[in-house]
């Protein structure tokens, strides 16, 4: 069994804060896996995603770089959970076509590609069933005369503001560990940190490039 690996860690604003999905939680799970299996860690790639449609490989520069590095060293890529690669079975199938083997710490090192495909297909089916049941429940509630949504405009506005604020706070908490890593690596100014984030392929909350001001906003929220 190959004894070298690159870690791949993926988070998003929607997922940040959920149990077991944060950057540090994934890193700890991967480090425990590597120690238990006697695997040498060659490096790690951290992907911060925002918005929809993020399963396309061109929207995942860190994963793309991880694939290239693993090919060069002829080693594995390890993720803490299968959904850190994707929740889409077709996307995972496409990754397998790159001929780079993957390990899922949660499943162990002896799980072959066929089993990974099976787990991905089962997870995708479960999500589809949940989505269908949710739509049916909403339709049934509407048929009973239940008003869907908040009828009072000012309450709706307040909820919207709280949602935006919460999302911004979660994104800041998501990016902060990467900023701290950049600072430890020698980034001393806001401009240096912005350059480090851009170099690593980390996008802002709106999917753009980092500048000193946007870094400052993150640090202020933190």
């Amino acid at each position: 069994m190959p004894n070298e690996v690159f870690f791949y860690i993926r988070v998003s604003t929607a997922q940040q804060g959920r149990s077991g999905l944060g950057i540090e939680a994934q890193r700890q799970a991967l480090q425990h896996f590597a120690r238990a299996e006697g695997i040498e860690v060659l490096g790690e790639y951290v992907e911060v995603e925002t918005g929809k449609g993020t399963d396309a490989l061109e929207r995942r520069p860190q994963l793309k770089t991880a694939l290239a590095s693993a090919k060069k060293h002829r080693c594995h890529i390890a993720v803490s959970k299968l959904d850190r690669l994707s929740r889409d079975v077709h996307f995972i199938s496409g990754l397998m076509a790159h001929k780079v083997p993957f390990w899922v710490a949660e499943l162990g090192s002896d799980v072959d590609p066929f089993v990974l495909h099976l787990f991905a297909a089962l997870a995708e089916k479960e999500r589809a069933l949940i989505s269908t049941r949710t739509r049916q429940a909403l339709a049934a509630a509407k048929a009973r005369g239940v008003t869907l949504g908040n009828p009072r405009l000012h309450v709706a506005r307040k909820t919207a503001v709280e949602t935006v604020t919460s999302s911004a706070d979660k994104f800041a908490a998501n990016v902060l560990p990467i900023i701290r890593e950049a600072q430890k690596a020698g980034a001393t100014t806001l401009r240096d940190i912005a350059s480090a984030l851009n170099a690593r392929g980390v996008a802002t909350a709106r999917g753009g490039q980092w500048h000193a001001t946007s870094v400052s906003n993150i640090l202020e929220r933190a």
Side-chain angles (χ1 to χ4, degrees), residues 105-146:
E106 187 179 48
L107 302 178
S109 62
D110 58 347
V111 175
D112 61 32
F114 173 77
V115 176
L116 290 182
H117 279 91
L118 182 60
F119 273 102
L122 290 172
E124 188 174 274
K125 181 63 175 179
E126 182 182 15
R127 288 191 303 275
L129 291 174
I130 291 173
S131 177
T132 298
R133 288 195 293 268
T134 300
R135 288 196 302 270
Q136 291 173 343
L138 290 174
K142 187 175 182 179
R144 294 195 304 270
V146 176

Side-chain angles (χ1 to χ4, degrees), residues 52-188:
K52 297 181 179 179
T54 49
D55 274 343
L57 189 56
E58 58 269 19
R59 299 282 298 275
R60 305 263 290 272
Q62 293 299 301
L63 178 55
K64 194 171 184 178
T65 304
L67 286 168
S69 297
K71 278 186 177 181
K72 179 180 178 181
H73 290 83
R74 297 182 179 180
C75 67
H76 283 63
I77 292 175
V79 293
S80 61
K81 299 181 179 182
L82 186 58
D83 64 6
R84 298 305 82 208
L85 284 178
S86 176
R87 289 184 169 87
D88 187 291
V89 66
H90 298 296
F91 183 75
I92 291 178
S93 296
L95 290 179
M96 299 302 176
H98 287 267
K99 306 298 183 182
V100 172
F102 288 88
W103 277 322
V104 179
E106 187 179 48
L107 302 178
S109 62
D110 58 347
V111 175
D112 61 32
F114 173 77
V115 176
L116 290 182
H117 279 91
L118 182 60
F119 273 102
L122 290 172
E124 188 174 274
K125 181 63 175 179
E126 182 182 15
R127 288 191 303 275
L129 291 174
I130 291 173
S131 177
T132 298
R133 288 195 293 268
T134 300
R135 288 196 302 270
Q136 291 173 343
L138 290 174
K142 187 175 182 179
R144 294 195 304 270
V146 176
T147 301
L148 301 179
N150 197 321
R152 302 181 64 181
L153 182 59
H154 75 277
V155 175
R157 286 175 176 170
K158 180 181 178 182
T159 301
V161 170
E162 290 174 349
T163 299
V164 171
T165 301
S166 176
S167 178
D169 289 341
K170 289 177 180 178
F171 182 76
N174 190 2
V175 176
L176 187 60
I178 306 176
I179 290 178
R180 297 306 185 204
E181 290 179 1
Q183 290 174 323
K184 290 179 181 178
T188 57

